[in-house]
């Protein structure tokens, strides 16, 4: 029986490039888990370090739980040698920049 190998930065296997694979897995991990007060969700890919980025209108315990759940789901989808964490910022509106190094996978208008 052949074992399945997951892509890594050094060996992307069937993924076209590591950043695309990591972004796609972040999107999958986030399904149904976006925090209620999220304006935007994205991922920074720095080799073996994936940092989920959240922009929130406010922070509740439920939002924190949702962010931790997304981290946990993403960890389950990528290789064990990949480090996943998150950061968030409170803002009055989404602030997305195409050149900020973040692949934004979710954005909404101000609530």
């Amino acid at each position: 029986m052949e074992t399945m190998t997951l892509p890594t930065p050094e060996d992307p296997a069937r993924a076209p490039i590591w950043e695309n694979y990591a972004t796609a897995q972040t999107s999958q991990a986030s399904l149904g888990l976006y925090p209620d007060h999220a304006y935007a969700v994205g991922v920074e890919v720095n080799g073996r370090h994936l940092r989920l980025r959240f922009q929130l209108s406010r922070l509740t315990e439920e939002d924190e739980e949702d962010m931790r759940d997304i981290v946990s789901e993403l960890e389950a989808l990528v290789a064990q040698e990949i480090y996943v964490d998150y950061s968030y910022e409170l803002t009055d509106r989404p602030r997305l920049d195409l050149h900020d190094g973040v692949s934004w996978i979710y954005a909404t208008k101000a609530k």
Side-chain angles (χ1 to χ4, degrees):
M1 183 170 145
E2 185 176 329
T3 59
M4 184 174 93
T5 59
L6 296 172
T8 65
E10 296 79 22
D11 179 19
R14 293 186 187 110
I17 56 175
W18 173 245
E19 289 81 5
N20 285 350
Y21 177 80
T23 301
Q25 294 306 324
T26 300
S27 181
Q28 179 66 37
S30 301
L31 292 176
L33 294 175
Y34 292 120
D36 285 341
H37 300 100
Y39 284 135
V41 178
V43 62
E44 284 179 89
V45 179
N46 187 10
R48 293 181 171 278
H49 182 192
L50 305 180
R51 172 164 287 156
L52 297 172
R53 298 274 304 272
F54 297 89
Q55 293 180 3
L56 307 166
S57 60
R58 66 187 187 111
L59 181 65
T60 65
E61 286 183 33
E62 292 80 15
D63 294 328
E64 287 189 276
E65 184 177 331
D66 287 338
M67 290 186 287
R68 288 190 302 268
D69 286 347
I70 293 170
V71 167
S72 179
E73 290 293 322
L74 183 55
E75 287 173 332
L77 291 170
V78 296
Q80 291 178 339
E81 303 84 23
I82 305 303
Y83 176 71
V84 180
D85 68 357
Y86 73 96
S87 66
Y88 66 86
E89 66 177 300
L90 299 179
T91 183
D92 60 350
R93 63 183 172 85
R95 290 174 164 71
L96 307 180
D97 181 347
L98 296 176
H99 306 289
D100 62 3
V102 179
S103 294
W104 296 103
I105 61 168
Y106 171 80
T108 187
K109 295 180 181 179
K111 297 176 183 175

